[in-house]
Amino acid sequence: MQYLDHFFGYSIPLLLKNVIIGCIAILLGIIIKFIISKTFILLSRWWDSIVIKSTIKHLKRPVAVFIPLLLLNFSLDLMVMPAKVRVPVEKMLEMALTVTFSLILIRLINVLEDFLFLKYDLNKENNLKERKIRTQLQFIRKFIVSLIIIVTAAIILLSFESMRKIGAGLLTGVGIGGIIIGFAAQKSLGNLLAGFQIAFTQPIRIDDVLIVEGEWGRVEEITLTYVVVSIWDQRRLILPITYFIEKPFQNWTRVSADLLGTVFLYMDYTIPIEPLRQELTRLLTSNPLWDKRVNVVQVTDTNKDGSIEIRFLMSASNSSRAFDLRCNVREAMITFIQNNYPESLPKTRLEYKDKFAGL
């Protein structure tokens, strides 16, 4: 009983008073959070805005924790407790508030990102500007989020007296330490600088079509250290970000998504060319994949095996459409030749000489 009467150096009624003050602060925070949440939900029903919907989605949980913690921190001034209890309680609340506030900042960046992603939609037919903006936004967001996390960790660590002493001691050797860290982090710093270079000079962008390491794919993600390329067969090619600064690669959408597609057929010399031109025009005119820019049939080569190389050249608004259009034209032209000029399909000619002829 005597222990209970003098718990942590003060009486039970005083302890209950502190508990009641803390519970009231938390309850008041929950009520404020509830009012704010309901207000935003009502606004989302009246006003169809991506900002409001994204705010509810990203900030609902961190704000639900931050407001009660903030009011509980304010309520400490109304509580009476010894220093040996107050100091650790205040320290824990400060750390919790710091972490929660950092999370709110990160979620606010997500809200801004949702708004800008809606404004710069990649689903447009000509999305060059949108891909430029998204590439920069994605890199800047990841850089700022990393910076917030580092600063938050530093604030928490430096709030401890022991960590401050360690920091002061480290400052005395900052010259040698800086050189050592510079060598150790050379690769990481190189990746970071390469990321900045890619984000603003943009040799690649989000959703660009690339030929890299012999693979065809689209840029799916650009991080601070690596790039993810989504290959056509749903594999993912992961490359260090410095790869796109140091090595050559093909970018099919660097200036525009428009692309020329080619189909090569090898026919006998007897094939008439003009009917092929007319058939290609008919096929392209009826095909929605054609963008009406290029329609060409040319004999581009003759081969020693007795065949000629015919190139069918066509255009499409992007690489995916160009690939499908090429396949459609190739199949249709082969069928046309089989049905109308089967004698002009590739042949192997043999020359026979009768050694007894003339005897």
Side-chain angles (χ1 to χ4, degrees), residues 125 257-261 289-294 314-323 325:
E125 188 66 28
D258 298 339
L259 200 67
L260 295 182
L289 299 176
W290 185 49
D291 65 359
K292 300 178 175 56
R293 290 189 301 116
V294 177
M314 63 218 72
S315 58
S317 58
N318 58 55
S319 58
S320 297
R321 285 172 169 257
F323 179 81
L325 181 61

Side-chain angles (χ1 to χ4, degrees), residues 280-296:
L280 178 64
T281 300
R282 186 189 70 81
L283 291 173
L284 293 179
T285 303
S286 61
N287 196 318
L289 299 176
W290 185 49
D291 65 359
K292 300 178 175 56
R293 290 189 301 116
V294 177
N295 169 16
V296 176

Side-chain angles (χ1 to χ4, degrees), residues 9-21:
Y10 48 84
S11 62
I12 285 294
L14 192 57
L15 175 60
L16 287 177
K17 177 184 175 182
N18 291 338
V19 172
I20 291 171
I21 291 173

Side-chain angles (χ1 to χ4, degrees), residues 21-92:
I21 291 173
C23 290
I24 291 173
I26 293 174
L27 181 61
L28 185 60
I30 293 172
I31 293 172
I32 294 174
K33 173 263 170 186
F34 178 80
I35 294 172
I36 295 175
S37 177
K38 288 299 180 182
T39 302
F40 272 89
I41 291 174
L42 288 174
L43 285 174
S44 68
R45 293 176 181 173
W46 296 336
W47 185 18
D48 188 17
S49 171
I50 184 63
V51 175
I52 295 176
K53 292 180 179 179
S54 183
T55 300
I56 296 172
K57 175 184 175 182
H58 293 295
L59 292 176
K60 184 177 181 180
R61 291 184 179 179
V63 169
V65 177
F66 181 76
I67 294 178
L69 283 177
L70 184 63
L71 293 180
L72 180 60
N73 188 56
F74 290 156
S75 70
L76 290 179
D77 294 336
L78 304 176
M79 298 181 188
V80 179
M81 60 182 71
K84 65 179 180 180
V85 176
R86 179 179 291 276
V87 172
V89 170
E90 288 180 346
K91 185 69 67 178
M92 290 178 62

Side-chain angles (χ1 to χ4, degrees), residues 204 219 221-223 225-229 237-241 244:
I204 59 171
V219 178
E221 184 181 3
I222 300 175
T223 72
T225 56
Y226 62 88
V227 175
V228 180
V229 179
L237 183 64
I238 313 297
L239 296 165
I241 200 165
F244 297 93

Side-chain angles (χ1 to χ4, degrees), residues 224-347:
L224 298 178
T225 56
Y226 62 88
V227 175
V228 180
V229 179
S230 176
I231 303 175
W232 65 273
D233 58 1
Q234 298 184 350
R235 290 178 294 151
R236 297 297 186 272
L237 183 64
I238 313 297
L239 296 165
I241 200 165
T242 51
Y243 179 97
F244 297 93
I245 302 296
E246 300 170 352
K247 295 186 179 182
F249 59 92
Q250 294 183 39
N251 188 336
W252 287 10
T253 53
R254 178 70 179 87
V255 177
S256 168
D258 298 339
L259 200 67
L260 295 182
T262 56
V263 171
F264 289 97
L265 292 181
Y266 297 89
M267 294 290 120
D268 190 73
Y269 277 86
T270 59
I271 187 77
I273 304 301
E274 190 57 33
L276 300 184
R277 288 196 176 97
Q278 297 174 4
E279 179 64 12
L280 178 64
T281 300
R282 186 189 70 81
L283 291 173
L284 293 179
T285 303
S286 61
N287 196 318
L289 299 176
W290 185 49
D291 65 359
K292 300 178 175 56
R293 290 189 301 116
V294 177
N295 169 16
V296 176
V297 176
Q298 295 173 316
V299 178
T300 53
D301 199 4
T302 58
N303 299 320
K304 293 180 180 180
D305 60 0
S307 64
I308 59 175
E309 180 184 79
I310 305 173
R311 184 181 71 174
F312 300 85
L313 192 62
M314 63 218 72
S315 58
S317 58
N318 58 55
S319 58
S320 297
R321 285 172 169 257
F323 179 81
D324 292 338
L325 181 61
R326 290 170 57 204
C327 292
N328 292 347
V329 168
R330 185 182 293 109
E331 294 171 5
M333 292 305 300
I334 290 175
T335 302
F336 175 77
I337 294 171
Q338 288 174 338
N339 294 335
N340 295 276
Y341 305 99
E343 70 282 357
S344 296
L345 292 171
K347 300 182 180 70

